[in-house]
Amino acid sequence: MKPKLVEAESPLAEIEADLDALFRDGKPIRREFGDGNRLHIDRPLPFLCVHIGSQQDAAFQVVSANASYLIVADISLAGEVARLVARRMRDHCGAFLVLDIGELAEDRFLTEDVPFLPPFEIALASGETTAEKAALKRFATAASGREAKYRTPRVAEFIPTKSAKARLSGDLGDVAGLTVRFAPIYRVPGSERVYPELRDLVVANMVDSALQAVSAFLKASKLEPPATHRSLGRRAYIDAVVRADRALDSVASTFDFLLAVTPINAEPAWREFQAGGFEHVPTLLYRPLEFEVAAQKRKLYSVSLDHLEDPLLTTLLSQKQQELDLQLSMLGARETPRFVELGRALYGSVEPSLATRARAILEKAHGAASAARQKGLGADAVAAAARDMIAGYRAAYSDFDASVEIRGDLPAGLLVSRNLLLVSRDTNLPPERLTALLSHEIGVHLLTYFNGNAQGLAIFRNGLAGYEGMQEGLAVLAEYLVGGMTAARLRLIAARVVACQAMLDGAAFEETFRILHKDFGLDDRSAFNVVLRVFRGGGLAKDAIYLRGVVQVLDHLRSGGSLTPFWIGKISAAHFGAIQELNARGLLRAPRLEPAFLSSDAARPRLKKAMAGIDPIDMIET
């Protein structure tokens, strides 16, 4: 006797209960039902993106990148669920739009006899209401305004054919709808392979155009549209994003890149170099690595970024994954010629304009450090002052859990490693530089670590890829704002650029030392300290970022930009737009702290001066 087939119960009752919880408790919906069907709504929103059919195409990625979406295999079930959600959301929001997004069967404009890449097809259809027509028009305008690797979209009316996927509009009743179909231009013709970069561009275009269409729909419905269409995007991290972020953080936490490439015998190296008449490269010693590079790389690339459902976060995490890979490669190549070239890939070369600016500073700024090493503040005094400043920040934000360690295995100075401020036992700091240096390390580096830690993803405390340039630019600006930018300090920052350029051009350690000492007048110990930094690990191009970064910050202020977004965490100038979008979507919190020095009487006139427009050399206090 054959067993009876029991039909699966309709998910509508469960979805109804989910909607109740959403409206009552603010609980996001992520309901899996049937075979691969999913409803995701992270908050009450006036739209629902729907995809029917294959989960292997780009349209699936477009839909699942949204804050409100439905993935369903069966069109009739899709209609039932969409109508239910629309009825409840329309009562709550005042209007509601269903976007049915899918792909055309073929890229019919691409033929073998075309002499160049032709436009690609986007087909649209909507209902007859004014609001639906406004949504269609805005989508068409937005989508047509972008190229996808040399192929410009051509928008036309959607005409159903036997080969085209069915439209959901017939199952929506009185619910407003917009149908979107686009050509699968990301697929390699005649195969199942895809062009990943092209696919990502198409997805980003469709997602942005859809949100613009919703914004236009709301305005035409006589409702208040959002300040920016991007605020209609995701406002919650799904578990896959959190897991990927934690996995990358697990790899990042196994090493401190700068500590690993910093010599542990700076003072003996100086004495050796001095004893040899500044003619022979001193022996530099490094900490042994506490991990196997290949094993960490395997762990790094076992982190899957395929199902994050958010193109922007996928990009940010992918960039960080690549940066960690490059750092691990550099650690594996310490003290070999490959280290220099890998460092060039990570930090870039010294652009001619930056080198010219650095040389001008060295020639014009006077007041270089004297060759006579005067007695300044030692490690204990600097550490005590640092603990006092940290206590002030902790009083304002209890999670500012930083600590200070005095170390004998660091060159003279200070270094931040995650939530630790490391003070070299050999530190000898002029008293007038104390506030500036602590504002640099604590007021910027530690502050952005703890602000980033409050954002919900570790990537904001560890730093987005390429964050270091902006971090050091902000830190140098801090030195100026508290009145601690001396000619000697700015000359050292400029000397680092010249030394990086010389090293990348093939100059040896002792030759670079002579350039700084003989050609630009740095005293022998200052020149050695700069060259030691630039040649650490085998040749590190990082130190050009200080001057480059402060130029970027000053340009940002001159153009009317705010510093506030840069306190959110450790971000780069290139990610300013991404941070604005995440902020608009409500995924980022306002900074828990802003640097104390910004509100000081000393800083206000200097910040006003910087906003009016200055060059780095104008930061020198006379």
Side-chain angles (χ1 to χ4, degrees):
M1 181 177 176
K2 294 183 178 180
K4 291 183 178 180
L5 296 177
V6 180
E7 292 187 4
E9 292 185 9
S10 170
L12 297 183
E14 292 177 332
I15 292 173
E16 187 89 53
D18 289 339
L19 289 165
D20 288 338
L22 175 68
F23 295 129
R24 182 183 64 248
D25 306 322
K27 183 179 179 181
I29 298 173
R30 192 164 177 89
R31 168 69 59 182
E32 307 276 353
F33 57 94
D35 185 15
N37 302 327
R38 181 190 307 140
L39 175 65
H40 173 100
I41 305 176
D42 74 12
R43 65 192 187 279
L45 286 163
F47 72 96
L48 180 71
C49 290
V50 181
H51 179 62
I52 303 165
S54 171
Q55 297 190 13
Q56 305 301 317
D57 57 21
F60 169 81
Q61 293 181 285
V62 172
V63 169
S64 61
N66 283 279
S68 176
Y69 74 80
L70 173 66
I71 304 292
V72 179
D74 178 71
I75 191 170
S76 61
L77 179 57
E80 288 185 83
V81 176
R83 288 195 303 273
L84 170 60
V85 173
R87 174 174 55 81
R88 297 292 303 275
M89 288 292 183
R90 188 166 53 191
D91 291 343
H92 184 86
C93 300
F96 194 82
L97 178 68
V98 173
L99 296 98
D100 172 14
I101 301 177
E103 296 185 11
L104 297 167
E106 59 183 356
D107 183 8
R108 65 189 181 96
F109 292 165
L110 184 62
T111 58
E112 294 182 358
D113 59 345
V114 292
F116 56 89
L117 289 174
F120 73 93
E121 184 178 12
I122 298 177
L124 304 177
S126 74
E128 297 299 321
T129 68
T130 300
E132 288 170 296
K133 293 296 184 184
L136 185 150
K137 183 177 180 181
R138 176 67 67 83
F139 192 104
T141 301
S144 300
R146 297 181 183 87
E147 288 188 357
K149 281 294 180 184
Y150 318 113
R151 297 191 65 181
T152 303
R154 178 186 294 172
V155 179
E157 180 183 356
F158 177 81
I159 302 175
T161 66
K162 291 182 180 180
S163 61
K165 294 176 182 177
R167 280 166 48 183
L168 182 60
S169 57
D171 293 288
L172 291 180
D174 65 345
V175 177
L178 173 65
T179 301
V180 178
R181 297 289 184 269
F182 58 88
I185 62 169
Y186 63 92
R187 295 194 179 278
V188 179
S191 77
E192 295 298 316
R193 301 190 307 277
V194 301
Y195 304 112
E197 183 183 11
L198 186 53
R199 177 194 58 205
D200 294 346
L201 287 170
V202 170
V203 169
N205 186 353
M206 296 297 115
V207 170
D208 191 75
S209 299
L211 295 182
Q212 290 199 47
V214 175
S215 183
F217 172 80
L218 294 175
K219 184 176 181 181
S221 299
K222 310 301 182 185
L223 298 173
E224 185 70 26
T228 168
H229 64 282
R230 296 186 183 278
S231 65
L232 295 167
R234 285 177 176 270
R235 198 169 287 179
Y237 301 124
I238 66 170
D239 288 344
V241 170
V242 175
R243 287 196 301 270
D245 174 70
R246 287 175 179 169
L248 291 180
D249 181 51
S250 176
V251 175
S253 299
T254 60
F255 66 95
D256 185 300
F257 178 74
L258 288 183
L259 274 180
V261 299
T262 297
I264 60 176
N265 65 327
E267 283 301 309
W270 158 246
R271 291 193 293 269
E272 179 186 341
F273 189 57
Q274 187 182 42
F278 309 132
E279 293 293 335
H280 306 289
V281 182
T283 301
L284 301 179
L285 303 177
Y286 299 91
R287 297 162 183 80
L289 298 180
E290 299 177 3
F291 59 90
E292 184 183 358
V293 169
Q296 289 304 313
K297 283 202 170 194
R298 288 193 296 270
K299 184 177 177 182
L300 177 65
Y301 281 105
S302 70
V303 180
S304 173
L305 306 178
D306 293 337
H307 305 291
L308 305 190
E309 299 184 3
D310 190 316
L312 180 55
L313 290 175
T314 300
T315 297
L316 296 181
L317 290 172
S318 176
Q319 290 173 347
K320 189 63 179 180
Q321 191 178 47
Q322 294 169 39
E323 182 180 73
L324 289 170
D325 176 33
L326 195 49
Q327 288 179 333
L328 286 167
S329 294
M330 290 181 70
L331 294 183
R334 270 191 321 185
E335 301 182 89
T336 73
R338 289 186 63 243
F339 185 88
V340 177
E341 296 310 316
L342 290 167
R344 193 195 301 265
L346 183 60
Y347 294 109
S349 297
V350 176
E351 57 272 29
S353 60
L354 185 66
T356 299
R357 189 189 296 267
R359 291 174 183 273
I361 289 171
L362 286 168
E363 290 167 359
K364 295 177 183 178
H366 300 289
S370 170
R373 309 290 291 178
Q374 296 182 348
K375 182 65 176 176
L377 298 174
D380 292 325
V382 172
R387 292 187 180 101
D388 286 343
M389 183 178 285
I390 287 170
Y393 280 110
R394 188 180 294 125
Y397 178 42
S398 60
D399 287 342
F400 199 93
D401 187 25
S403 54
V404 180
E405 290 183 8
I406 297 176
R407 300 275 290 263
D409 59 349
L410 293 173
L414 280 65
L415 187 150
V416 166
S417 177
R418 299 185 179 87
N419 65 332
L420 298 176
L421 177 63
L422 307 179
V423 181
S424 169
R425 175 58 70 187
D426 296 319
T427 295
N428 180 30
L429 185 69
E432 64 273 16
R433 283 279 303 153
L434 178 63
T435 301
L437 188 56
L438 295 184
S439 297
H440 178 124
E441 302 291 351
I442 299 172
V444 175
H445 294 332
L446 282 175
L447 179 136
T448 51
Y449 176 89
F450 288 109
N451 279 344
N453 196 45
Q455 296 300 338
L457 293 180
I459 192 173
F460 293 110
R461 72 158 188 252
N462 292 333
L464 301 182
Y467 77 93
E468 290 173 296
M470 182 54 64
Q471 272 282 295
E472 299 301 353
L474 292 167
V476 171
L477 178 71
E479 297 182 40
Y480 162 65
L481 292 180
V482 300
M485 182 53 68
T486 63
R489 171 61 172 164
L490 190 62
R491 279 173 59 81
L492 283 176
I493 291 170
R496 292 174 182 177
V497 175
V498 172
C500 278
Q501 185 183 50
M503 181 271 294
L504 290 173
D505 287 345
F509 187 104
E510 62 276 18
E511 182 183 353
T512 306
F513 171 84
R514 284 194 296 272
I515 291 172
L516 299 184
H517 182 46
K518 301 294 186 183
D519 297 354
F520 291 103
L522 269 71
D523 68 78
D524 53 13
R525 187 60 193 269
S526 297
F528 173 80
N529 288 342
V530 171
V531 176
L532 180 72
R533 291 175 61 99
V534 170
F535 279 82
R536 55 185 159 168
L540 187 65
K542 173 182 182 289
D543 273 15
I545 68 175
Y546 291 79
L547 183 59
R548 182 187 295 127
V550 77
V551 169
Q552 289 178 328
V553 171
L554 292 174
D555 286 346
H556 177 73
L557 289 172
R558 181 186 291 114
S559 62
S562 168
L563 293 178
T564 301
F566 294 110
W567 309 130
I568 283 173
K570 295 183 183 294
I571 69 172
S572 74
H575 290 123
F576 193 69
I579 293 301
Q580 288 181 310
E581 176 176 342
L582 293 174
N583 196 48
R585 286 160 53 179
L587 277 172
L588 295 178
R589 300 173 179 173
R592 293 298 181 94
L593 290 170
E594 288 206 351
F597 57 76
L598 284 180
S599 57
S600 69
D601 292 337
R604 290 192 188 99
R606 294 186 179 95
L607 182 58
K608 186 176 180 180
K609 181 180 174 183
M611 293 171 69
I614 60 173
D615 287 323
I617 200 166
D618 300 322
M619 298 191 301
I620 297 172
E621 296 292 315
T622 56

